[in-house]
Structures are given as structure tokens and as C-alpha cells.
């Protein structure tokens, strides 16, 4: 494949302007803005990206020690349900969960917003309207610039028509479109621009070894890695560019050796970006390097969620972005048609796919489709372009069906994007049954929404109100007499006190942990359900006031070292009569498992120092009735 010369105002040029206009139009007309016109932008994870700026330049509190400021922000702007965006340190400071890469990118618009707030008599607190409006709209410059850079990259390899078609299907046929106009403050559409720029500077340096290209490439790599450390994978692009066999490898090594000062410049340019973060860490944490993102789900490198990432109706690549099939085919064609890019793109794409498929919360949280992959679409546009270029050379009998399929996938993506922003497709909780029900539909009702996963809450207590829709059965029981479904320490049996004769379970003052039930999720929940309610009831007795002899009923579902849902129910908060047997009941909705092998644990945690007795511990599971599911399907 021959390298093409760029024509400034060809069809691809006008297409990019048109797409930029479409993205901007959608950006200012998102349905959610009807209720919150750029007043709830710096929220959720973005809050953590951004908070470096106001706490450093407004509050002069880089350690985020003033809890009154945090309370004011949450009371006034409600950026999330709880304050989870910073990691507490032993020295009393807090540090944002994320590194400061995005804060750097937001900073020009933050300062413009700060000036506007000062001149316009708005609260100069970092979250009033001028800050939110300026940051939310300022980042669109980065996003739209990425389209123009990607065009320049593709025109190096393809003619104007192929370039235009590749950009058209990449932008409108994937969830990049949604991220660009609706998810603009999150990482992915901005990182898309970063990859387009890195590709361009990499190609230019290999054509002409100029310092300006390595400086620019180093800066782009530095900001990308600082913003999202997982983007370290971007190094494979310049590292293996132009390497496709032994001879090309030798030439690449020779090129690097003869331009070794450029490699130093590249590394220095990338490192300079990290200096503010290193200084910040040293001042706030006492360490030059610190991992603030510790309370996470982590990776399942030994058991990646490949099938779910590709095919699940909850979230997946090929269900919600099926046009990517053609990029995958293009990867195969790269070897024959654009070999100089093959190994760099293949290694990047393969490792990136494995890494993101290994993330325990593989469905990417609340989003349209698999948003974590969006930035990689800039790189994958090259094999996509190769595929289109090959198709362009075929007869109409081949071209027409393929382009019709691609147009259908693009139409599907645009329609489902509309469904998403209009709350027909939810951010999470999709099921195959619901997907079928709402396919190409513009309205849904409450009966339709019953086909979604159960709505999970994040409060400390949950109310189980629709028992009539469930059937229940006992899954665990301990009366410490004849009915005991698990093994327990028989030496703890006691006959001096009991709710049912002849024994109870006695926890002495130094006994901290009681017997534990363990239920694997895949044995407790049937394959066609996503949850069960658990109801735990028990009787307890204490000769001393329970507030002075406290204990907790613990229900937890861990995934490795991360607790998916931990509930410690303080027994002393329940009505209690000293010297009598008391009873308590607690309901627990199972979380969505990160692995079907995850285990639900139920046990007693004795926090007091006096004797405490337990009896008749019962665990019941409530699952949705088959007949109710069938009735819902039939009636609709």
C-alpha cells in the first residue's frame, strides 16, 4: 500500500467539520442538561480528576484537610452520593484517587472559569456554574481536535474516500460518538485524541527525524500515562513502528542508535509531565511515588472475562459496537497491506484487550457499551481503513452488502445511543430479555423495565418490599442441636441458656468470631437470575446491656481482597431486653458478582468482652418466581 499525500480540502476534510458540528450540536442538546445545564459536570470520578485544581489554587489546601469545604461542596452541588474520590492517609491528609493528568488538561478552563466567577459575582468555590461550564465545554477542543489529527494520520496511508469512510464509521458507528458528546469529561474520548496525536508524531519521526516530533510525542505519552497509568501500553506504538521482520528490526535498531539523543529527549519530555505529581505526592504523602488508587476491584489476570467482554448483553463490544468486527478483520489484512504497522498495532491491541478484559468490573460501570476501549479506536482505525481500502477494490456485488451491513451497524449504534441518552437503555443492568424487548423501540414501560437486572442500592440497609414476587427456601440453619447445615466449634455449645432446647452457642469475652456460612454465588443464584435476597434471622441473649457487649451480624461478598458488598449490622442498634432472648432479622440483596465463583459470607463478629449467646441462626434465600417471569413475558 502506497503512502498518500494529504489534500487540505478533500471530502475527508469537510466530513470532519461536519462530524465536529454534529458532536457539538448533540453536546449542547443532551436530554440530561434539561435539568442540570452544566451544573453537575464535575461529579463522580471526574470530581477526583479535577479536585487538585480548586484545593490547590482556591483553598490552598493540597492535603484536603478542611472537611468543611468538602461538606459545603457536597451539600451545595451533590457531586455523588458519598465522598469516595480521595484516599485517606495516616498523616491526616487526603489524596485524590486518580493522578493529576486530567487536572492538567482541565486547568486552562478552570482558570477561565475562576476569572468568570470573580468578575460575574459567582461563588469562587471551584464548582459554581462558571467552573463547570468552562471545563465541560473547554475539553471539547481536545476531543474535536482529535478528529482532525486522525484524518491527517489516515491520509498518510489511504486516499480521501477511504479516509472519509473510515472516520465516518469510527465516529458514528462506535460508542466513541457517545463518549465525545456526552462522556466528554471522562477519560476515553480525550485519550482517543492522545492516541491520534501519538500515531501522527510517530509516523512523522520515522519519515523525518526532527526533535520537535519526539518532544511532542514524549509530552503526549507523558500526559496520557499520567492521566491513566494503564495507557503505558502506548509505548508499543513508537517502539515497534516499522518493525515487521528481522531486516526491519535491524534497521529500527540502527535508526534508534543513530538518533539516540532523541530517545533521551523523548523520555525527558515524558518525565517532565510527571514532575508536578511527584512533588504533590512528596508534600502530601511523604513519598515521591504513591499508589492512591488502592480501593479498587483489581484485575483477574488468571481468569479474564473475555466472553463477557465480547458477547454479553449486559455490556460488550460486539453486541453494542458490532462494527468493530471489521476492524478485527482489518487486523488480519494488515500483514499483507500495511505491514509496517502490523506488530505495533497487534501487540498494543492484544495486550490492551487482555488488560481490559481482566478488570474485575469488566462491564465498565455506568456507560453506553464498553467505554474503556474507546481510546483504542484511534489505533484500530488503521486496520479498519485497511479493510475499507480492500473492499473498495472489490466488485459491487461484494461492496454493496458489506456497506449495507456497516450502515446498519452504524444506524443501530446511533439509535441505541439515542436510547441511552433518553434513559431507555440504562447505564447498567441490561439483560438479553430487556434488549430484545426494546430493540429499535422509542418507548418502554414499567413492565418492560422489570426485565432489567434488579435495582441495587448502596445504603447500609435495604428494604425488601415485594416478597410476593419471590419464592423462598432455607439455605442455612444452626440450632446447635439437631439441625446444623455447617460445621461449627462443638466446644461452644452451652446448655445454661437456649432459645430452643437443649443448646445454644456461647461466645465468651475473648471469642471474636462466630460460625461462618459460605454460599458460592453460582450455587445460590440460578443461571437465569442475577440476584437473590437473603434474610438472616437469629436469637441472642446477654446478661449485660448489649450496648456494653456489642456484636455485629456480618454479610459480605468479597472478590479477592475487594469487598463487593459488606454489611456489618450492629446488633446493639436493635431493641434489646437484658437477661431475655431477643430476635433480629436482616435482609441483604446480593451484589452483581465479579466471578460466578465469588462466595457470600455470613458470620457473627463479637466486639464485646462479656458472654453472648446465639441460637436458631437461619438463612433464607428469596428468588424470583418462574411463573412471574413467564407471566410478565406473556402479558407484554
Amino acid at each position: 500500500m502506497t503512502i498518500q499525500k494529504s489534500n487540505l480540502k478533500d471530502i475527508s476534510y469537510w466530513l470532519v467539520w461536519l462530524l465536529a458540528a454534529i458532536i457539538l450540536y448533540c453536546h449542547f442538546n443532551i436530554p440530561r442538561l434539561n435539568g442540570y445545564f452544566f451544573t453537575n459536570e464535575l461529579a463522580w470520578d471526574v470530581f477526583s480528576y479535577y479536585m487538585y485544581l480548586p484545593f490547590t489554587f482556591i483553598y490552598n489546601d493540597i492535603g484536603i484537610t478542611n472537611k468543611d469545604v468538602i461538606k459545603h461542596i457536597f451539600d451545595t452541588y451533590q457531586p455523588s452520593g458519598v465522598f469516595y474520590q480521595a484516599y485517606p492517609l495516616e498523616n491526616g491528609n487526603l489524596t485524590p484517587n486518580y493522578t493529576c493528568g486530567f487536572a492538567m488538561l482541565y486547568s486552562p478552563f478552570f482558570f477561565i472559569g475562576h476569572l468568570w466567577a470573580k468578575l460575574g459575582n459567582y461563588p469562587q468555590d471551584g464548582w459554581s456554574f462558571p467552573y463547570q461550564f468552562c471545563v465541560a465545554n473547554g475539553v471539547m477542543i481536545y476531543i474535536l481536535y482529535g478528529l482532525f489529527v486522525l484524518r491527517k494520520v489516515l491520509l498518510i496511508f489511504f486516499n480521501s474516500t477511504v479516509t472519509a469512510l473510515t472516520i465516518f464509521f469510527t465516529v458514528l458507528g462506535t460508542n466513541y460518538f457517545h463518549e465525545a458528546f456526552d462522556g466528554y469529561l471522562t477519560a476515553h474520548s480525550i485519550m482517543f485524541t492522545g492516541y491520534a496525536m501519538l500515531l501522527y508524531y510517530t509516523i512523522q519521526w520515522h519519515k523525518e527525524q526532527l526533535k520537535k516530533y519526539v518532544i511532542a510525542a514524549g509530552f503526549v505519552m507523558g500526559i496520557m500515562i499520567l492521566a491513566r497509568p494503564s495507557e503505558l501500553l502506548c509505548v508499543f506504538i513508537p517502539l515497534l513502528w516499522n518493525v515487521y521482520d528481522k531486516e526491519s528490526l535491524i534497521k529500527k535498531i540502527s535508526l534508534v542508535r543513530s538518533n539516540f539523543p532523541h530517545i533521551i529527549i523523548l523520555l525527558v519530555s515524558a518525565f517532565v509531565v510527571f514532575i508536578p505529581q511527584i512533588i504533590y505526592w512528596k508534600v502530601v504523602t511523604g513519598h515521591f511515588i504513591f499508589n492512591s488508587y488502592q480501593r479498587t476491584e483489581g484485575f483477574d489476570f488468571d481468569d479474564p472475562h473475555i466472553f463477557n467482554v465480547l458477547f454479553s448483553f449486559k455490556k460488550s463490544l460486539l453486541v453494542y459496537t458490532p462494527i468493530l468486527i471489521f476492524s478485527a478483520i482489518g487486523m488480519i489484512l494488515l500483514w499483507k497491506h500495511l505491514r509496517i504497522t502490523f506488530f505495533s498495532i497487534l501487540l498494543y491491541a492484544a495486550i490492551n484487550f487482555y488488560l481490559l478484559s481482566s478488570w474485575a468490573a469488566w462491564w465498565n460501570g455506568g456507560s453506553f457499551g464498553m467505554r474503556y476501549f474507546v481510546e483504542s479506536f484511534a489505533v484500530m482505525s488503521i486496520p479498519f481503513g485497511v479493510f475499507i481500502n480492500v473492499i473498495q477494490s472489490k466488485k459491487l456485488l461484494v461492496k454493496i452488502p458489506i456497506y449495507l451491513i456497516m450502515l446498519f451497524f452504524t444506524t443501530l449504534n446511533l439509535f441505541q445511543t439515542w436510547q441511552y441518552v433518553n434513559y431507555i437503555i440504562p447505564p447498567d443492568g441490561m439483560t438479553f430479555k430487556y434488549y430484545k424487548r426494546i430493540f429499535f423501540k422509542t418507548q418502554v414501560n414499567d413492565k418492560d423495565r422489570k426485565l432489567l437486572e434488579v435495582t441495587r442500592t448502596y445504603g447500609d440497609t435495604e428494604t425488601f418490599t415485594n416478597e410476593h414476587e419471590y419464592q423462598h427456601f432455607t439455605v442455612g440453619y444452626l440450632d446447635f442441636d439437631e439441625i446444623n447445615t455447617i460445621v461449627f466449634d462443638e466446644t461452644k455449645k452451652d446448655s445454661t441458656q437456649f432459645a430452643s432446647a437443649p443448646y445454644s452457642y456461647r461466645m465468651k469475652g475473648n471469642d471474636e468470631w462466630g460460625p461462618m456460612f459460605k454460599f458460592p454465588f453460582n450455587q445460590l443464584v440460578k443461571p437465569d437470575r442475577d440476584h437473590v435476597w437473603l434474610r438472616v434471622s437469629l436469637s441472642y441473649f446477654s446478661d449485660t446491656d448489649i450496648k456494653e457487649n456489642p456484636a455485629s451480624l456480618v454479610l459480605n461478598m468479597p472478590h479477592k481482597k475487594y469487598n463487593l458488598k459488606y454489611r456489618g449490622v450492629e446488633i446493639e442498634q436493635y431493641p434489646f431486653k437484658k437477661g431475655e432472648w431477643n430476635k433480629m432479622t436482616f435482609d441483604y440483596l446480593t451484589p452483581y458478582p465479579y466471578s460466578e465463583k465469588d462466595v457470600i459470607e455470613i458470620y457473627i463478629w463479637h466486639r464485646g468482652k462479656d458472654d453472648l449467646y446465639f441460637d436458631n441462626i437461619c438463612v433464607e434465600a428469596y428468588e424470583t418466581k418462574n411463573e412471574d417471569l413467564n407471566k410478565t413475558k406473556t402479558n407484554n
Side-chain angles (χ1 to χ4, degrees):
M1 184 175 292
T2 58
I3 292 181
Q4 308 291 326
K5 283 184 116 182
S6 172
N7 180 7
L8 181 60
K9 294 184 179 180
D10 56 25
I11 186 174
S12 64
Y13 174 82
W14 298 114
L15 175 69
V16 168
W17 277 107
L18 176 62
L19 292 174
I22 291 172
I23 289 172
L24 279 177
Y25 174 82
C26 294
H27 169 72
F28 284 104
N29 290 277
I30 313 169
R32 66 178 173 82
L33 292 181
N34 293 333
Y36 305 94
F37 188 74
F38 297 110
T39 57
N40 194 32
E41 303 297 298
L42 304 172
W44 300 99
D45 284 1
V46 174
F47 187 100
S48 187
Y49 298 153
Y50 169 78
M51 62 193 299
Y52 287 95
L53 296 169
F55 279 96
T56 300
F57 297 105
I58 295 177
Y59 301 109
N60 194 28
D61 181 20
I62 64 172
I64 317 176
T65 57
N66 191 335
K67 306 303 186 291
D68 290 337
V69 171
I70 297 172
K71 185 177 186 304
H72 160 74
I73 293 167
F74 271 75
D75 289 346
T76 306
Y77 303 104
Q78 284 120 33
S80 59
V82 296
F83 178 50
Y84 69 90
Q85 292 91 344
Y87 184 81
L89 303 169
E90 292 182 359
N91 61 13
N93 290 335
L94 296 174
T95 181
N97 290 340
Y98 298 100
T99 43
C100 68
F102 282 105
M104 290 182 179
L105 294 173
Y106 298 158
S107 61
F109 316 115
F110 162 79
F111 289 117
I112 294 171
H114 189 56
L115 179 61
W116 180 6
K118 185 175 182 180
L119 297 177
N121 200 30
Y122 286 91
Q124 298 174 51
D125 58 6
W127 273 268
S128 62
F129 177 71
Y131 300 95
Q132 307 233 22
F133 183 88
C134 288
V135 175
N137 292 291
V139 297
M140 296 304 294
I141 296 172
Y142 302 134
I143 293 168
L144 299 181
Y145 177 66
L147 298 181
F148 291 90
V149 178
L150 182 63
R151 170 184 171 266
K152 293 174 69 174
V153 170
L154 294 175
L155 280 174
I156 294 172
F157 304 113
F158 312 114
N159 62 35
S160 175
T161 302
V162 172
T163 295
L165 288 170
T166 303
I167 293 175
F168 176 85
F169 288 121
T170 297
V171 172
L172 299 182
T174 72
N175 55 334
Y176 166 83
F177 180 62
H178 172 262
E179 290 300 303
F181 78 80
D182 192 15
Y184 37 83
L185 282 174
T186 57
H188 312 290
S189 53
I190 298 175
M191 290 295 98
F192 179 98
T193 296
Y195 274 102
M197 294 174 69
L198 180 59
L199 284 167
Y200 179 75
Y201 293 128
T202 296
I203 294 167
Q204 293 302 110
W205 185 83
H206 282 81
K207 288 170 55 180
E208 189 177 10
Q209 289 74 52
L210 298 178
K211 290 181 182 178
K212 64 179 182 179
Y213 297 132
V214 293
I215 292 172
F219 178 80
V220 169
M221 291 171 67
I223 200 73
M224 287 172 65
I225 296 168
L226 181 60
R228 281 175 59 83
S230 62
E231 304 305 340
L232 181 64
L233 298 177
C234 71
V235 301
F236 289 113
I237 293 171
L239 182 66
L240 295 177
W241 198 262
N242 273 6
V243 175
Y244 52 88
D245 59 17
K246 182 177 180 181
E247 183 180 349
S248 62
L249 177 60
I250 293 172
K251 287 183 178 179
K252 181 65 176 277
I253 293 173
S254 176
L255 180 65
V256 170
R257 283 179 176 174
S258 60
N259 293 276
F260 190 73
H262 285 197
I263 306 305
I264 302 301
I265 293 171
L266 179 78
L267 295 175
V268 170
S269 300
F271 178 76
V272 165
V273 178
F274 281 81
I275 292 176
Q277 182 70 69
I278 293 171
I279 294 173
Y280 178 89
W281 274 334
K282 182 60 178 175
V283 173
V284 173
T285 73
H287 305 281
F288 286 111
I289 303 295
F290 184 79
N291 177 20
S292 58
Y293 198 42
Q294 298 182 36
R295 297 177 297 186
T296 69
E297 299 91 333
F299 292 91
D300 295 331
F301 289 119
D302 58 339
D303 188 21
H305 309 277
I306 292 173
F307 183 85
N308 284 331
V309 167
L310 288 176
F311 303 112
S312 173
F313 282 85
K314 180 178 177 67
K315 294 274 180 71
S316 69
L317 289 172
L318 298 184
V319 171
Y320 293 94
T321 319
I323 206 166
L324 293 177
I325 293 171
F326 300 109
S327 287
I329 297 172
M331 284 295 303
I332 300 171
L333 299 173
L334 269 183
W335 179 252
K336 180 179 179 181
H337 296 277
L338 200 55
R339 194 168 297 185
I340 62 171
T341 69
F342 180 75
F343 280 112
S344 59
I345 294 179
L346 176 65
L347 197 58
Y348 163 77
I351 297 178
N352 185 61
F353 179 79
Y354 172 73
L355 180 70
L356 297 181
S357 298
S358 297
W359 186 245
W362 57 267
W363 57 92
N364 300 180
S367 65
F368 174 62
M370 303 292 289
R371 61 188 171 100
Y372 291 177
F373 286 88
V374 163
E375 53 263 46
S376 68
F377 296 166
V379 179
M380 297 305 293
S381 68
I382 293 179
F384 199 178
V386 169
F387 174 81
I388 292 174
N389 194 66
V390 170
I391 295 303
Q392 281 290 93
S393 65
K394 303 297 182 182
K395 295 180 180 179
L396 286 177
L397 194 62
V398 175
K399 282 200 294 190
I400 291 176
I402 291 177
Y403 279 125
L404 286 176
I405 293 171
M406 293 170 72
L407 283 171
F408 171 75
F409 286 161
T410 301
T411 303
L412 178 63
N413 179 72
L414 293 175
F415 186 79
Q416 290 186 338
T417 300
W418 178 87
Q419 286 181 312
Y420 183 85
V421 299
N422 285 280
Y423 314 107
I424 294 172
I425 291 179
D428 198 7
M430 284 292 290
T431 65
F432 177 56
K433 291 178 180 179
Y434 183 73
Y435 185 88
K436 288 192 300 181
R437 183 66 62 86
I438 58 99
F439 192 71
F440 275 111
K441 285 192 175 181
T442 57
Q443 292 182 336
V444 295
N445 55 40
D446 290 340
K447 290 182 179 180
D448 295 330
R449 294 190 184 279
K450 283 188 176 183
L451 299 175
L452 290 166
E453 290 179 4
V454 67
T455 301
R456 292 176 165 88
T457 62
Y458 298 94
D460 291 332
T461 60
E462 298 165 311
T463 304
F464 183 28
T465 58
N466 54 335
E467 291 183 38
H468 64 281
E469 297 180 6
Y470 290 75
Q471 57 191 10
H472 78 281
F473 50 92
T474 300
V475 294
Y477 196 85
L478 284 173
D479 68 359
F480 307 104
D481 306 317
E482 297 179 354
I483 307 175
N484 299 291
T485 60
I486 61 171
V487 176
F488 64 94
D489 186 352
E490 296 276 346
T491 64
K492 304 296 182 183
K493 290 170 63 173
D494 189 274
S495 59
T496 59
Q497 300 290 346
F498 47 80
S500 61
Y503 298 110
S504 66
Y505 186 90
R506 178 188 181 189
M507 299 186 72
K508 297 181 180 179
N510 59 348
D511 292 334
E512 187 173 6
W513 308 109
M516 178 185 290
F517 295 93
K518 289 188 176 183
F519 304 107
F521 187 88
N522 59 2
Q523 295 180 18
L524 194 63
V525 182
K526 294 180 179 178
D528 61 341
R529 277 91 165 198
D530 65 278
H531 74 286
V532 295
W533 280 91
L534 294 178
R535 174 164 291 169
V536 183
S537 59
L538 56 87
S539 298
Y540 58 99
F541 177 96
S542 176
D543 279 323
T544 58
D545 190 335
I546 195 69
K547 294 185 182 298
E548 298 174 2
N549 189 28
S552 295
L553 169 65
V554 177
L555 298 93
N556 185 33
M557 187 170 171
H559 179 76
K560 297 181 178 179
K561 295 182 179 180
Y562 181 77
N563 291 330
L564 304 186
K565 184 176 179 180
Y566 178 95
R567 293 292 180 269
V569 188
E570 297 179 349
I571 295 176
E572 62 268 24
Q573 299 301 319
Y574 283 72
F576 171 77
K577 291 184 178 180
K578 184 171 66 174
E580 298 182 18
W581 279 94
N582 301 267
K583 187 172 182 178
M584 65 166 288
T585 301
F586 186 80
D587 294 334
Y588 177 89
L589 177 61
T590 56
Y592 191 86
Y594 288 5
S595 168
E596 293 294 321
K597 299 176 183 177
D598 287 339
V599 173
I600 298 166
E601 302 172 342
I602 303 173
Y603 56 93
I604 302 295
W605 174 24
H606 184 203
R607 296 177 283 115
K609 298 301 180 184
D610 296 318
D611 289 356
L612 188 60
Y613 301 84
F614 292 96
D615 206 350
N616 298 337
I617 304 174
C618 180
V619 182
E620 294 176 285
Y622 288 74
E623 67 175 16
T624 50
K625 298 177 182 178
N626 274 324
E627 56 267 30
D628 284 352
L629 291 175
N630 293 333
K631 187 185 300 182
T632 301
K633 183 175 181 181
T634 302
N635 292 342
N636 287 281

